[in-house]
Amino acid sequence: MDFELSEDEAALAQGIRSLCAGRFPLERLRAAEGGDGLVDAEGWTELADAGVFSLQLPESAGGIGLGMAASSVVFEELGRALLPGPILASHLASYLVPDAADGAADGKVMVGAVRRPPTSGTEAFVPALVEHLSSLGVLIVVGDDGLAAVDPADVDAVRIGRPLDPLTPLWRVDELPEGRPVGGAEQARRWRRDQAVLGGALLVGLAAGTLDMAVAYAKEREQFGKPIGSFQAVKHMCADMLVAAETARAAVHAAAVTIDQPGVGDPERAAAGAGLLASEAAIKNGKICIQVHGGMGFTWEVPAHLYLMRARVLSQAIGPVGGLAELVAELY
Amino acid sequence: MDFELSEDEAALAQGIRSLCAGRFPLERLRAAEGGDGLVDAEGWTELADAGVFSLQLPESAGGIGLGMAASSVVFEELGRALLPGPILASHLASYLVPDAADGAADGKVMVGAVRRPPTSGTEAFVPALVEHLSSLGVLIVVGDDGLAAVDPADVDAVRIGRPLDPLTPLWRVDELPEGRPVGGAEQARRWRRDQAVLGGALLVGLAAGTLDMAVAYAKEREQFGKPIGSFQAVKHMCADMLVAAETARAAVHAAAVTIDQPGVGDPERAAAGAGLLASEAAIKNGKICIQVHGGMGFTWEVPAHLYLMRARVLSQAIGPVGGLAELVAELY
Amino acid sequence: MDLRYSEAEEKFRLELRQWLADVVPKLGPKASSLDWPARRTYDTAWQRMLFDAGYAGIDWPVEGGGRAASPVEHLIYLEELERAHAPYVGVNFVGLLHAGPTIVVEGTPEQRARFLPPILRGDEVWCQGFSEPGAGSDLASLRTKAVRDGDEYVVTGQKIWTSHAEVADYCELLVRTGDDDSRHRGITWLAMPMDRPGIDFRPLKTIAGSTEFGELFLDGVRVPVANRMGEENDGWRVTMVTLSFERGTAFVSEVLQSMGFLRDLREMAKRTGAWSEGDVRRRMGHLGAELDALWALARRNVSQAARTGVPGVGGSVYKLGLSELRQRIGEFGMDLIGGAGLSWDELEGLDGAGPIGNADQVNTWVHGFSRTIAAGTSQIQRNIIAERILGLPKG
Amino acid sequence: MDLRYSEAEEKFRLELRQWLADVVPKLGPKASSLDWPARRTYDTAWQRMLFDAGYAGIDWPVEGGGRAASPVEHLIYLEELERAHAPYVGVNFVGLLHAGPTIVVEGTPEQRARFLPPILRGDEVWCQGFSEPGAGSDLASLRTKAVRDGDEYVVTGQKIWTSHAEVADYCELLVRTGDDDSRHRGITWLAMPMDRPGIDFRPLKTIAGSTEFGELFLDGVRVPVANRMGEENDGWRVTMVTLSFERGTAFVSEVLQSMGFLRDLREMAKRTGAWSEGDVRRRMGHLGAELDALWALARRNVSQAARTGVPGVGGSVYKLGLSELRQRIGEFGMDLIGGAGLSWDELEGLDGAGPIGNADQVNTWVHGFSRTIAAGTSQIQRNIIAERILGLPKG
């Protein structure tokens, strides 16, 4: 038992962090705010070359053949860098529905995903909102009883003028095509489970990113003749952020490893708990980060809001926290 | 519109506060901890003489003929003083079921009350727990569809060895007698409504009492060379206590006045909201008061726990906060 | 304790209600929030209507040209405006709620005659230049410098969070006239004409994508000494004077508006079926009970102001409670609409469920973040409560 | 990241599990919590059994007489003891977890030979005399005075929160040997025999009605200089040394126990029908997810300790998270049992629903209040996290 990152995992995280810092610095991402093609094809290929999409595809199929643990450290870094684009769906599709996602692993095709809106229940009134539609080669529709592949060209969609996250363009789709079945209920369950864990990893990255921002600002910003970080109220907000981020990180890593290593625990329960805590940590930390920045935190210029809006996008994608909590309760 | 206390109301509160401080100081109450007869007959008569039980009984029936507003300021003081005994039921019975509560108004008889346990639902498995049974002359059983009067001598009860609140002795009753009907559904509804408001007033008194204790300790206790109240963490805990207490107090007063003055609002909604916020304020402040006192707060000697335990007793009496919240939502 | 209104108060309410019923339906559509000249036109036209009807400066004393309504009448005024969905003060807010009241108390007769009538009539719009990039919670550390040169001050520095500067005629400005480290003792209050050379304004975009405020760059701006309110270096006291105008009516519109928002959410939840979930009802009921309590607290503060002239300890308690509550209400709205919260554009629901109203939910949620920051952060409010009300020792 | 145990670790687990399966059922009933001599007998007998089986001092180094188990084995040890419902260290806890480890590192060969074997065998029981009425969170302000007189120290002062003093043979005592204002620099660590004249102990009743700790009054107590650990005035460092013994295994039993408590609550909720309420399931699932995460964090801390010898930054994060979570778990339990929570006595439910288990719920709730205070309040933990981990400046 050694639950620390292995040397390989740490190196992988470091590599992705360097790639993001060099190739996708925040200023550059922000320059494309509100537009399409937030990640250009060349950038996407670089992500592919770094293995972001092929990490879990078996070596026999041309992938890297690693597992969820490796993916979770990679996605935490991508989250921290606020990397836009359908990275999670492209990654999941490459190993979960490889036949439907030809070209996903090597970055030639971007794959998106959307949950099929329920036909009854409280969410039944909201139309499907598809992210990054104009960039997609394939859209995976995740239903309760299976996965289907849809050609984006077949989708009748209306672009949303102002998406909540300016780095996640959105389309409204009233009638999602049935599409071509590419997986049954078991694969849909696996999709949702792995999505909760790796969406959780992205969310942990967001929670860590806002913690870093808040701490840096608290050290530098002075009021009443001293850094605001010397006031207990600010200190304790930052401490609570760290607790949220570290706890969620441990949960995400444990869920990833529990999926990779049969017998060490219940992967469904671990995945739901990880998604739940990561959602809450990212939203809570985004909110505290704004508060620590005071008025500046409410400006577009300071990127705190980008982390918070992205957290809402991801939190929605992996499912409302109430449902995740009920799943944990059932399996406890 | 003048929502401040009138001179009469302020004088009434001051009178009760003086009576409690002189006649029922905490040291004296504590000396009787765990025993019966926490309020001796003589003390009970003094409360009656001060009008505690006859406040809302019409003058024509020998009472004082005031309303809920006056009662709410009185009960806040009784709560702050941690006054034990079936004060609330004796007060309610004197004007809501005067025929069944002969002698209640002038303190000759103590009246208790217990909610008839539901026969289905989540609470159906808990036996009835009756407070102060051995001191009662009459026990009012509050059902969904009416009020009944029971002779305590007819009740088959087992004394609880360790009640949560050492100042509220308890008896377990598996089979509550049917009793003599003394009020219908409308009177039962009024009982629950007025109980929520005046139970809320007692709870506000508890919340204010623990706030006072915490603030006094924070000013006096020194650590790291200064009073702990100069640390922001402690300051902010105390500030949050004040917000909780003042908000709940305003809600309780508004509910009382809304009952007294037809047309100024919805008394049911106001009463449920007042009970809800007062419960939460008393429990929250009790907990913070312990925390501010550090290790001492966890000792029997410091009375913080008495306020907290009493808060649980009263919160249970006026109904779980979830149910009160649902009632507010329905009436909003 | 009495929550009934007197006959005179009911009469005041009725007259106002009738007038509002008459004029509000005739108002044109609101201006786009991005079109500043149109907003000025709309808001100042409304102010002129209030003026003509005798409601301008509702809480100002008669000697300032106001109506001198009692705190209770002021409360009724806010209730009725909210009830009638009448416009709020808009671009007139600094003039009406802050600069004007200051001039009423601190201005010379000449200054009052010059500045007050145009504010009340809607002829002149004011903005505020108090905060600076380095002076937020710690306002007394402001550094914008004013140097006396004959009968003018020459002002150089930078202000931030200035609202409506695009359309303002005057700016109530705090400048440092004392030593660099004179803090509260070296500050002066000036009415700066916004048409002077040396003023540059850069709007700041908010996280809601709007531009409600911005940065004001001042480079050798000349302000007549005649525009100074109070004495030189006495500006801190002058500024604080305005606070004494508060009669417990702050944020009342927001409380009433939030109640309406909750009721809207309930209707939506009933339509979508979410209302069948116990915890949805409980969250909504809990938030509703808290709003009711804050409304009670507002009436308590107003009552105390009516008796004593000041709203008492309730102000900070109310501000802290409300701003924290507003954030939770925002989160509840977002949770209720689920995925629809990912769009700022108004969405239509599926299956004939009608508009989701998500633009309201998203706005409520996002704007909530400013509530615990603006007009004193929640942390500053807790300090104030702990030190001034509870008497705990300073840090 | 690897959550699988090695073959050697699995072997360690299996042997321990078999031994526990053999001995635990044969243990007599636990002593009443009020009968201190009986508690000492029970707990020290269990310690002797551990000693004979080679599990005493599981994490102590071999040179101290311990088993020198790896942090991972230590974790397995705690898991298996919890799984077997074996006794916890009980009255041996100061000796085994605090005083002993200090002596292992700081003691002379003579001191180690004198003090350590009796702790491991369960022959001698220790208590702790660190905190004072005036020195809680600020331990360095302690004032209990020790004056050297020949080869003895004469100790006078007062200690508080001393556990198990009723049955202790020794007290690990911090005394002031430096100037009154020497703070960390004037403290000395002594092993005080509890049978000396001048020692008076007054138990303190807790809000749970029990007497787990009390006040120690010291009036001219003579302690041999030979019982001093480390140098005079170097006691602060000596004390801190013990912290380096921590391998991330603190509170692990509490995490595992809490998981069991949640599962018990679920069974009860299913029996009573409360489980049909969505928000009961959500609260329970949320608390469960948090416990799972803390268990993951514990394994992370242990892993880091296994690699580097120290558990790293996780310690305070884990302590803060767990103690706050424990309180919320306690509240959940109380809310679930409703009125039954008004009695500390175990109640039987109506309608054949069996025991309510309310004594457990009430205990969990009430004891939760101590969690955010003892061993460093949540406020102190947040300071530590902010200053030592995040590098924020000191107040």
Side-chain angles (χ1 to χ4, degrees):
Chain A
M1 201 279 284
D2 179 4
F3 191 45
E4 284 280 39
L5 269 62
S6 70
E7 267 181 49
D8 286 351
E9 287 160 346
L12 187 58
Q14 189 48 54
I16 298 292
R17 189 185 287 217
S18 302
L19 171 65
C20 290
R23 186 60 178 77
F24 307 103
L26 192 52
E27 314 83 70
R28 189 163 165 184
L29 299 179
R30 297 206 69 176
E33 265 172 23
D36 280 359
L38 285 156
V39 180
D40 54 311
E42 195 189 319
W44 199 260
T45 306
E46 287 184 45
L47 291 173
D49 291 347
V52 166
F53 308 118
S54 55
L55 262 172
Q56 293 198 64
L57 189 67
E59 285 181 273
S60 58
I64 302 179
L66 293 173
M68 289 290 287
S71 294
S72 71
V73 303
V74 166
F75 275 79
E76 179 180 332
E77 293 305 328
L78 299 175
R80 185 194 297 263
L82 272 176
L83 203 85
I87 44 176
L88 181 51
S90 295
H91 174 92
L92 294 172
S94 84
Y95 71 93
L96 287 174
V97 289
D99 294 342
D102 198 30
D106 54 9
K108 297 217 172 71
V109 169
M110 293 189 200
V111 183
V114 65
R115 187 167 154 248
R116 186 176 291 285
T119 51
S120 69
T122 58
E123 279 275 291
F125 74 110
V126 180
L129 295 171
V130 180
E131 303 164 17
H132 301 287
L133 182 65
S134 64
S135 309
L136 303 181
V138 183
L139 175 64
I140 302 295
V141 179
V142 183
D144 284 341
D145 48 5
L147 303 172
V150 167
D151 182 342
D154 295 343
V155 176
D156 188 15
V158 179
R159 177 151 186 169
I160 296 286
R162 287 184 68 204
L164 187 69
D165 173 10
L167 294 175
T168 306
L170 275 185
W171 282 258
R172 174 200 170 112
V173 180
D174 284 337
E175 293 279 347
L176 269 179
E178 280 299 310
R180 179 171 59 89
V182 295
E186 169 59 18
Q187 262 156 309
R189 191 191 53 71
R190 253 189 95 186
W191 182 288
R192 287 193 303 270
R193 182 194 68 187
D194 292 4
Q195 185 188 35
V197 176
L198 298 183
L202 287 167
L203 286 156
V204 165
L206 298 175
T210 44
L211 169 63
D212 290 350
M213 274 183 68
V215 168
Y217 190 74
K219 287 178 183 172
E220 160 206 311
R221 168 76 173 173
E222 294 199 0
Q223 289 282 275
F224 304 103
K226 50 187 181 177
I228 59 170
S230 61
F231 292 100
Q232 256 188 351
V234 175
K235 263 184 205 176
H236 289 194
M237 284 194 279
C238 292
D240 285 340
M241 290 173 89
L242 181 74
V243 171
E246 286 295 324
T247 309
R249 175 183 281 122
V252 166
H253 286 171
V257 175
T258 303
I259 291 171
D260 287 342
Q261 301 176 344
V264 302
D266 177 348
E268 303 297 322
R269 161 174 151 186
L276 162 64
L277 296 181
S279 272
E280 291 192 339
I283 290 173
K284 170 183 177 163
N285 285 9
K287 184 177 147 177
I288 300 180
C289 184
I290 290 177
Q291 184 71 22
V292 169
H293 280 79
M296 289 310 297
F298 198 66
T299 62
W300 191 267
E301 185 184 330
V302 169
H305 64 111
L306 296 179
Y307 291 85
L308 181 59
M309 302 313 175
R310 182 68 63 82
R312 273 270 168 197
V313 169
L314 289 167
S315 173
Q316 194 57 37
I318 67 176
V321 292
L324 295 170
E326 290 203 39
L327 186 54
V328 174
E330 269 165 44
L331 299 170
Y332 216 75
Chain B
M1 199 279 283
D2 179 3
F3 190 47
E4 284 280 39
L5 269 62
S6 69
E7 265 181 48
D8 285 351
E9 287 160 346
L12 188 57
Q14 189 50 54
I16 297 293
R17 191 186 285 218
S18 302
L19 171 64
C20 290
R23 186 60 176 78
F24 308 103
L26 191 54
E27 315 81 71
R28 189 164 166 183
L29 300 180
R30 297 205 70 177
E33 264 172 24
D36 278 0
L38 285 158
V39 181
D40 53 311
E42 195 190 317
W44 198 258
T45 307
E46 288 185 45
L47 290 173
D49 292 346
V52 167
F53 307 118
S54 56
L55 262 171
Q56 294 197 64
L57 189 67
E59 287 181 271
S60 58
I64 303 179
L66 293 173
M68 288 291 287
S71 294
S72 71
V73 303
V74 166
F75 275 80
E76 179 180 332
E77 293 305 329
L78 299 175
R80 186 194 295 265
L82 272 176
L83 204 85
I87 45 177
L88 182 50
S90 295
H91 174 91
L92 294 171
S94 85
Y95 71 94
L96 287 174
V97 288
D99 294 343
D102 198 31
D106 54 10
K108 298 218 171 69
V109 168
M110 293 188 200
V111 182
V114 65
R115 186 167 156 249
R116 187 175 289 286
T119 51
S120 69
T122 58
E123 278 275 292
F125 73 111
V126 179
L129 294 171
V130 181
E131 303 165 17
H132 301 288
L133 183 66
S134 64
S135 309
L136 303 181
V138 184
L139 175 65
I140 302 295
V141 179
V142 183
D144 285 342
D145 47 5
L147 303 172
V150 167
D151 182 342
D154 295 342
V155 176
D156 188 15
V158 180
R159 177 152 187 168
I160 295 287
R162 286 185 69 205
L164 187 70
D165 173 10
L167 295 175
T168 306
L170 275 186
W171 282 259
R172 173 200 170 114
V173 180
D174 285 336
E175 293 278 348
L176 269 178
E178 279 300 311
R180 179 170 61 88
V182 295
E186 169 59 20
Q187 261 156 309
R189 192 192 51 73
R190 254 189 95 185
W191 182 288
R192 285 193 303 270
R193 182 194 68 188
D194 292 3
Q195 185 188 38
V197 176
L198 298 181
L202 288 167
L203 286 156
V204 165
L206 298 175
T210 44
L211 169 62
D212 290 348
M213 271 184 70
V215 168
Y217 191 73
K219 287 178 183 172
E220 158 205 313
R221 167 75 173 174
E222 295 199 0
Q223 290 281 274
F224 305 103
K226 50 187 182 180
I228 60 170
S230 60
F231 292 99
Q232 257 188 349
V234 175
K235 264 184 202 172
H236 289 195
M237 284 195 280
C238 292
D240 286 339
M241 291 172 88
L242 181 74
V243 172
E246 285 297 323
T247 310
R249 174 183 282 123
V252 165
H253 287 170
V257 176
T258 303
I259 290 171
D260 288 342
Q261 301 177 343
V264 303
D266 177 348
E268 304 296 322
R269 161 175 151 185
L276 163 64
L277 296 181
S279 272
E280 291 192 341
I283 290 172
K284 171 184 176 161
N285 285 7
K287 185 177 146 176
I288 301 180
C289 183
I290 290 176
Q291 185 71 22
V292 169
H293 279 78
M296 288 311 296
F298 198 67
T299 63
W300 191 267
E301 186 183 329
V302 169
H305 64 111
L306 295 179
Y307 291 84
L308 181 59
M309 301 313 176
R310 183 68 62 83
R312 273 270 168 199
V313 168
L314 288 166
S315 173
Q316 193 57 38
I318 67 176
V321 292
L324 295 170
E326 289 202 41
L327 185 54
V328 173
E330 268 165 46
L331 299 170
Y332 214 75
Chain C
M1 294 182 285
D2 194 342
L3 288 174
R4 292 166 303 191
Y5 293 94
S6 71
E7 244 174 81
E9 286 160 352
E10 291 290 7
K11 182 163 169 286
F12 173 85
R13 181 193 295 277
L14 203 65
E15 283 174 10
L16 174 58
R17 187 177 292 184
Q18 280 165 349
W19 179 73
L20 289 166
D22 193 32
V23 300
V24 171
K26 294 179 200 148
L27 290 172
K30 277 180 73 170
S32 152
S33 67
L34 299 175
D35 184 347
W36 281 100
R39 283 176 72 168
R40 177 179 167 133
T41 303
Y42 185 89
D43 292 340
T44 54
W46 170 245
Q47 181 60 30
R48 180 64 195 227
M49 288 166 71
L50 287 169
F51 180 81
D52 290 340
Y55 291 113
I58 184 82
D59 57 332
W60 289 21
V62 174
E63 59 272 28
R67 177 163 180 140
S70 72
V72 175
E73 286 170 338
H74 191 188
L75 190 75
I76 292 170
Y77 170 86
L78 294 170
E79 269 192 281
E80 291 301 319
L81 261 67
E82 183 58 33
R83 184 178 179 278
H85 301 293
Y88 189 53
V89 286
V91 302
N92 303 300
F93 101 82
V94 172
L96 281 169
L97 306 184
H98 206 275
T102 305
I103 297 168
V104 168
V105 177
E106 292 293 324
T108 61
E110 294 72 28
Q111 288 172 327
R112 286 153 70 166
R114 164 65 193 88
F115 291 119
L116 298 177
I119 292 174
L120 293 173
R121 281 198 309 265
D123 291 344
E124 285 179 356
V125 166
W126 286 61
C127 63
Q128 189 181 70
F130 281 13
S131 296
E132 299 184 3
S137 292
D138 182 16
L139 183 58
S141 68
L142 64 87
R143 293 162 66 179
T144 291
K145 194 90 188 160
V147 180
R148 178 90 178 243
D149 180 23
D151 56 359
E152 290 181 317
Y153 286 102
V154 183
V155 182
T156 298
Q158 184 185 349
K159 294 290 177 179
I160 196 168
W161 315 129
T162 305
S163 305
H164 314 139
E166 292 92 335
V167 292
D169 303 291
Y170 282 90
C171 177
E172 55 164 347
L173 192 71
L174 290 184
V175 293
R176 177 145 322 273
T177 39
D179 296 340
D180 285 352
D181 56 354
S182 55
R183 292 189 60 82
H184 310 78
R185 297 175 311 280
I187 290 172
T188 297
W189 197 109
L190 299 176
M192 176 176 75
M194 288 295 284
D195 57 1
R196 292 289 161 114
I199 300 179
D200 191 24
F201 179 69
R202 188 170 73 97
L204 275 169
K205 195 169 158 189
T206 70
I207 67 175
S210 54
T211 52
E212 292 296 316
F213 44 66
E215 291 170 291
L216 204 56
F217 299 88
L218 308 175
D219 183 10
V221 183
R222 304 189 80 90
V223 180
V225 171
N227 284 17
R228 187 187 70 209
M229 224 51 58
E231 296 303 309
E232 188 169 290
N233 290 332
D234 198 28
W236 187 262
R237 188 194 57 75
V238 169
T239 305
M240 292 302 134
V241 152
T242 320
L243 294 179
S244 72
F245 251 70
E246 223 288 281
R247 295 286 183 276
T249 55
F251 309 110
V252 156
S253 302
E254 193 165 326
V255 169
L256 299 169
Q257 219 170 32
S258 299
M259 288 177 174
F261 180 71
L262 273 190
R263 281 189 293 264
D264 290 347
L265 286 184
R266 185 175 62 169
E267 291 321 301
M268 198 208 61
K270 284 186 169 172
R271 222 168 56 221
T272 66
W275 197 246
S276 66
E277 291 177 23
D279 61 340
V280 168
R281 296 196 304 276
R282 285 176 188 195
R283 274 180 81 183
M284 143 94 205
H286 200 290
L287 297 169
E290 290 182 83
L291 268 176
D292 283 353
L294 287 171
W295 174 226
L297 206 54
R299 284 177 292 175
R300 169 141 296 166
N301 294 342
V302 164
S303 300
Q304 188 166 347
R307 284 196 192 184
T308 66
V310 288
V313 304
S316 289
V317 172
Y318 173 66
K319 158 76 167 81
L320 177 58
L322 178 60
S323 52
E324 298 286 335
L325 175 59
R326 268 290 308 249
Q327 290 194 349
R328 284 183 292 122
I329 289 175
E331 280 158 19
F332 177 58
M334 286 293 270
D335 289 350
L336 258 188
I337 59 173
L342 301 186
S343 164
W344 289 86
D345 298 351
E346 188 74 43
L347 291 177
E348 291 284 326
L350 290 175
D351 301 329
I356 295 174
N358 61 303
D360 282 346
Q361 339 286 3
V362 176
N363 263 300
T364 301
W365 178 62
V366 173
H367 284 281
F369 296 113
S370 71
R371 293 304 189 281
T372 53
I373 295 169
T377 64
S378 286
Q379 286 69 43
I380 294 286
Q381 299 298 338
R382 288 191 182 95
N383 280 351
I384 291 173
I385 291 171
E387 292 170 9
R388 298 197 205 154
I389 305 180
L390 298 175
L392 290 171
K394 293 223 166 199
Chain D
M1 294 183 283
D2 194 343
L3 287 174
R4 293 165 304 190
Y5 292 94
S6 69
E7 241 175 84
E9 286 159 355
E10 290 290 7
K11 182 163 169 285
F12 173 85
R13 182 192 294 277
L14 201 68
E15 281 174 12
L16 174 58
R17 186 176 294 183
Q18 279 166 349
W19 179 72
L20 289 166
D22 192 33
V23 301
V24 170
K26 293 179 199 149
L27 290 171
K30 276 181 74 170
S32 151
S33 67
L34 300 175
D35 184 347
W36 281 101
R39 283 175 72 168
R40 176 178 169 134
T41 303
Y42 185 88
D43 293 340
T44 55
W46 170 244
Q47 182 59 30
R48 178 63 194 228
M49 287 165 73
L50 287 169
F51 180 80
D52 290 340
Y55 291 112
I58 184 82
D59 57 332
W60 290 21
V62 174
E63 59 272 30
R67 178 163 177 139
S70 72
V72 175
E73 285 170 339
H74 191 189
L75 190 75
I76 293 170
Y77 170 86
L78 294 170
E79 269 193 280
E80 291 301 320
L81 259 67
E82 184 58 33
R83 184 177 179 277
H85 301 292
Y88 189 54
V89 285
V91 301
N92 302 300
F93 101 82
V94 172
L96 280 169
L97 305 185
H98 207 275
T102 304
I103 297 167
V104 168
V105 177
E106 293 293 323
T108 60
E110 294 72 27
Q111 288 172 326
R112 287 153 70 167
R114 164 64 195 85
F115 291 118
L116 299 178
I119 292 174
L120 293 171
R121 279 196 310 264
D123 291 343
E124 285 179 358
V125 167
W126 286 62
C127 63
Q128 188 182 70
F130 281 12
S131 296
E132 298 183 4
S137 291
D138 182 16
L139 183 58
S141 68
L142 64 87
R143 294 161 66 178
T144 291
K145 194 90 189 159
V147 180
R148 178 92 178 241
D149 180 22
D151 56 359
E152 289 181 320
Y153 286 103
V154 183
V155 182
T156 298
Q158 185 185 348
K159 294 292 177 177
I160 196 169
W161 315 130
T162 305
S163 305
H164 314 137
E166 292 92 336
V167 292
D169 303 291
Y170 281 90
C171 177
E172 54 165 346
L173 192 72
L174 290 185
V175 292
R176 176 140 329 268
T177 38
D179 296 341
D180 285 354
D181 56 355
S182 56
R183 292 190 58 82
H184 309 79
R185 297 175 310 280
I187 290 171
T188 298
W189 196 110
L190 299 177
M192 176 176 75
M194 289 295 285
D195 58 2
R196 291 291 161 114
I199 299 179
D200 192 23
F201 179 70
R202 187 171 74 98
L204 276 169
K205 195 170 159 187
T206 70
I207 66 175
S210 54
T211 52
E212 292 297 316
F213 44 65
E215 292 171 290
L216 204 55
F217 298 90
L218 308 175
D219 183 10
V221 182
R222 304 189 79 89
V223 180
V225 171
N227 285 17
R228 187 186 73 210
M229 225 51 59
E231 295 304 309
E232 189 169 289
N233 291 332
D234 198 27
W236 187 261
R237 187 194 58 75
V238 170
T239 305
M240 292 303 135
V241 151
T242 321
L243 295 178
S244 71
F245 251 69
E246 223 287 281
R247 294 286 184 275
T249 54
F251 309 111
V252 157
S253 302
E254 194 165 325
V255 169
L256 299 169
Q257 218 168 33
S258 299
M259 288 177 174
F261 180 70
L262 273 190
R263 280 189 294 265
D264 289 348
L265 286 183
R266 186 174 62 169
E267 291 320 302
M268 198 209 61
K270 284 187 169 173
R271 221 167 58 220
T272 66
W275 197 246
S276 66
E277 292 177 23
D279 61 339
V280 167
R281 295 196 303 277
R282 286 177 187 194
R283 274 179 82 183
M284 143 93 205
H286 201 290
L287 296 168
E290 291 182 85
L291 269 176
D292 284 353
L294 287 169
W295 175 226
L297 206 55
R299 285 175 291 174
R300 169 141 298 166
N301 294 342
V302 164
S303 300
Q304 187 166 348
R307 283 197 194 183
T308 66
V310 288
V313 304
S316 289
V317 171
Y318 172 66
K319 158 78 166 80
L320 177 57
L322 178 61
S323 51
E324 298 286 335
L325 176 60
R326 267 291 307 250
Q327 289 193 349
R328 285 184 290 124
I329 290 175
E331 281 158 18
F332 176 59
M334 286 293 271
D335 289 349
L336 258 188
I337 58 174
L342 301 185
S343 164
W344 289 86
D345 297 353
E346 187 73 44
L347 292 176
E348 291 284 325
L350 291 175
D351 302 328
I356 295 173
N358 61 305
D360 281 346
Q361 338 285 4
V362 176
N363 262 301
T364 300
W365 177 62
V366 173
H367 282 281
F369 296 112
S370 71
R371 294 303 190 281
T372 54
I373 295 169
T377 65
S378 286
Q379 287 69 41
I380 294 285
Q381 299 298 336
R382 288 192 182 95
N383 280 351
I384 291 173
I385 291 171
E387 293 170 9
R388 297 196 204 155
I389 304 182
L390 298 175
L392 289 171
K394 292 224 168 200

